[in-house]
Amino acid sequence: MSRVAAIDCGTNSIRLLIADASASGAPGPLTDVVREMRVVRLGQGVDATGELAPEALERTFAAARDYARLIENHGARRVRFAATSATRDARNRQVFVDGIRDLLGVEPEVISGDEEAALSFAGASSVLPVTGEDAILVVDLGGGSTEFVLGDSGGVIAARSVDIGCVRLTERHLRNDPPTAAQIAAAEADVDAAINLAARTVPFDRATAVVGVAGSITTITAHALGLSEYQPERIHGASLDLVTISDACTSLLEMTRAERAALPYMHPGRVDVIGAGALVWRRILARLAEAGNGRIRGAVSSEHDILDGIALSIRDAE
């Protein structure tokens, strides 16, 4: 066994996983030692300005400073830091890269959308194995981008990253509280265009099942289940039908921010963007149901995603 530390820095949150991993090529999932998430909103304003805001950088560096202490205290031997959509889009990303290197002593990797997709599939399929003739579509709905990854027991078949996410669409369209019909229609047009783009690369009609990962989808699942608090053990592996998911998405989209903030499973950092996440997930599932000719009747939620994929990639590189 080796102890590794994986950091996933996205548009809305930065997450840490310290885990014990078996040797490369050995079966079995990771064993969690520490799993943490901080909402730092690194992508604040990036869609409009093309730059990382100074206050967003400072929030992210503060979290990275805390993560560095945890990594040292728990004796993780190897560290990989992966940054995704917001950092890919920013003109001043070198400021971010230099700051993270100074704090953690590792070079942060600004990974491509394709690699993000592959890591998401690796993380999800590590705990929800793909067997037989199944072709599973993993959807990773983030703050700035969404990844569509189709894979089977042999690995990834096709993947595409598109620039739709809960932070990006909130900032671009959903400014009212709650959003207006016109704002929702404009956001849906962006989502539909992005899905069309993804469909050029990823054959949706081959999917036999759908797995949704990342905070927006797990929070929607908590809402659909009516949980009294955020319970990862109930959310992970939860299989819900399309009507139940769509109703939960519509409910969150139509709520005010105050109503969402009062939900017992709602992370404070998701209150203002979960409506956009719900809009994206509802639209994606409607399209997948149409493409699947009746095969896609619901979706499974996974608490394991790109963060686990990053940790597995460290193990497999040894």
Side-chain angles (χ1 to χ4, degrees):
M1 301 289 285
S2 62
R3 181 158 292 181
V4 301
I7 300 175
D8 165 39
C9 187
T11 300
N12 197 44
S13 64
I14 181 169
R15 300 180 300 152
L16 168 70
L17 172 60
I18 300 174
D20 289 329
S22 55
S24 177
L30 302 161
T31 301
D32 287 13
V33 177
V34 172
R35 191 180 286 264
E36 291 229 354
M37 188 268 287
R38 309 276 179 89
V39 173
V40 295
R41 196 63 58 82
L42 178 62
Q44 172 192 328
V46 168
D47 188 60
T49 67
E51 292 194 347
L52 299 167
E55 59 271 30
L57 284 165
E58 185 48 46
R59 291 191 298 266
T60 306
F61 291 156
R65 200 172 290 116
D66 291 341
Y67 287 176
R69 284 193 288 268
L70 285 168
I71 291 167
E72 181 177 4
N73 291 342
H74 288 279
R77 193 165 59 85
R78 298 191 64 189
V79 181
R80 186 181 184 191
F81 187 113
T84 55
S85 177
T87 317
R88 282 197 300 265
D89 296 344
R91 287 190 298 269
N92 63 336
R93 69 182 185 182
Q94 194 60 44
V95 177
F96 167 81
V97 169
D98 292 343
I100 293 297
R101 188 194 306 112
D102 289 346
L103 289 166
L104 287 163
V106 297
E107 188 77 13
E109 301 173 52
V110 183
I111 61 175
S112 69
D114 287 344
E115 184 171 8
E116 184 176 358
L119 289 169
S120 294
F121 185 81
S125 62
S126 71
V127 288
L128 295 171
V130 184
T131 58
E133 300 300 315
D134 293 338
I136 306 299
L137 182 68
V138 173
V139 180
D140 184 346
L141 201 172
S145 66
T146 294
E147 283 65 53
F148 296 83
V149 197
L150 185 71
D152 59 17
S153 56
V156 174
I157 298 168
R160 185 67 183 262
S161 177
V162 292
D163 285 340
I164 51 169
C166 60
V167 174
R168 192 184 297 272
L169 287 182
T170 299
E171 292 184 349
R172 188 181 292 177
H173 296 297
L174 305 185
R175 300 188 182 93
N176 283 39
D177 180 25
T180 66
Q183 290 170 349
I184 290 172
E188 287 179 335
D190 278 5
V191 175
D192 289 347
I195 295 172
N196 288 339
L197 193 62
R200 296 179 187 175
T201 304
V202 182
F204 293 157
D205 60 347
R206 289 185 58 183
T208 57
V210 180
V211 175
V213 303
S216 284
I217 291 173
T218 58
T219 301
I220 293 163
T221 303
H223 186 60
L225 293 171
L227 300 182
S228 59
E229 60 182 347
Y230 192 91
Q231 297 173 279
E233 68 280 4
R234 290 195 59 189
I235 294 167
H236 181 61
S239 180
L240 300 174
D241 63 83
L242 292 175
V243 172
T244 299
I245 299 171
S246 180
D247 288 348
C249 289
T250 299
S251 171
L252 287 167
L253 179 59
E254 293 178 349
M255 284 181 179
T256 64
R257 288 186 177 92
E259 289 169 336
R260 294 197 293 263
L263 297 172
Y265 39 78
M266 184 66 63
H267 190 287
R270 297 200 188 281
V271 169
D272 60 330
V273 297
I274 191 61
L279 181 152
V280 174
W281 191 218
R282 183 179 70 179
R283 208 69 175 177
I284 288 172
L285 288 177
R287 177 64 175 274
L288 294 178
E290 178 184 325
N293 296 317
R295 286 197 309 274
I296 304 302
R297 298 180 180 178
V300 177
S301 299
S302 174
E303 285 280 339
H304 298 263
D305 51 28
I306 185 174
L307 187 60
D308 301 75
I310 295 167
L312 288 168
S313 75
I314 302 170
R315 179 198 70 181
D316 294 342
E318 292 184 334

